[in-house]
Amino acid sequence: MEKDPLRAILEEVRDSWEIRSPEDEDWHAKRRRSAGEYEWVLKSLELETNDKLLDIGCGTGLFINDISEIVATAVGVDISEAILKRAKRTLREKKNVSLIRAAAPILPFCKPTFNKIVIVHAAFGVLLPNPHLWNIYNQEMMDLSVDVIKTAFKLLVPEGTLIVTLAPGTKEMGERVKKELIPDAMKRAGITTENASVTTQIKQLNSTYFALAEIRKTA
């Protein structure tokens, strides 16, 4: 019997998802918001009322909750059933928000649909491993990360924007992310100067250095 793709990815990242409870996830999201990460993302997104936004790895829905009054439509995707249940409680009054359980590399959309996509504080090794995942980070995880970026870019309409944030931790690692890891991931995902412009910023928020990659699709 052929293995379910969602189950295969769940198994690949199980060391992360089995240890992160909804309460833990919510606490980390609130900490990142208070540090200014969400404000940074919102400024880069330049949201408008007719936007259709996709939040990949939406967690407990804190970011979508913050922007739900701004955009016309918001869709949150997460692989964790328990964390999505928490998000549904948080967002139950939001009529313009949908939540879907899916693995980021195999999202259930077949054509460019969104003009704004976010992967806020990238998880399971997107571009760079999350500190909680350093013990399982390897080349296969990087390959998975590239697939996530490739999938997200395909769902972006022309002139749309994809924002990815992560926390390298130190200034030195942030510069490595900017000069090496992000350009390499973009190249492997098929994102070039012919179909997009990519800008990467490094900023210290509280005591941690964060990176923000802004990818604007041109064709």
Side-chain angles (χ1 to χ4, degrees), residues 157-175:
V157 300
E159 309 302 325
T161 301
L162 166 62
I163 300 290
V164 181
T165 69
L166 53 153
T170 66
K171 185 176 182 180
E172 292 74 20
M173 184 57 76
E175 290 303 317

Side-chain angles (χ1 to χ4, degrees), residues 101-114:
R101 186 178 184 231
I106 48 174
L107 296 176
F109 308 102
C110 58
K111 63 180 181 179
T113 303
F114 304 94

Side-chain angles (χ1 to χ4, degrees), residues 7 19 34 72-73 77 102 147 151 168-170 176 179 191 205 213 219:
R7 174 56 54 186
I19 64 172
S34 66
T73 303
V77 174
D147 288 342
T151 298
T170 66
R176 183 186 169 203
K179 295 177 181 178
I191 299 173
L205 301 175

Side-chain angles (χ1 to χ4, degrees), residues 35-37 39-41 43-44 166-171 174-175 178 200-212:
E37 184 181 3
E39 182 180 355
W40 193 17
V41 172
K43 184 177 180 180
S44 299
L166 53 153
T170 66
K171 185 176 182 180
E175 290 303 317
K178 182 177 181 178
T200 304
Q201 305 173 52
I202 307 298
K203 180 184 289 190
Q204 185 177 9
L205 301 175
N206 289 345
S207 60
T208 301
Y209 279 87
F210 284 72
L212 184 150

Side-chain angles (χ1 to χ4, degrees), residues 64-141:
I64 287 186
N65 191 55
D66 285 353
I67 58 91
S68 60
E69 301 300 326
I70 303 174
V71 300
T73 303
V75 178
V77 174
D78 206 282
I79 200 172
S80 170
E81 185 174 6
I83 287 175
L84 272 182
K85 286 181 179 179
R86 174 68 172 266
K88 288 177 180 178
R89 290 200 299 270
T90 300
L91 299 163
R92 61 182 178 274
E93 302 297 330
K94 308 294 184 178
K95 304 301 183 183
N96 61 330
V97 174
S98 300
L99 296 173
I100 300 171
R101 186 178 184 231
I106 48 174
L107 296 176
F109 308 102
C110 58
K111 63 180 181 179
T113 303
F114 304 94
N115 67 319
K116 302 290 172 68
I117 300 178
V118 294
I119 308 176
V120 182
H121 202 76
F124 62 88
V126 177
L127 306 184
L128 186 77
N130 181 299
H132 292 276
L133 307 178
W134 283 342
N135 62 318
I136 63 170
Y137 185 71
N138 52 41
Q139 187 57 50
E140 286 73 25
M141 295 297 284

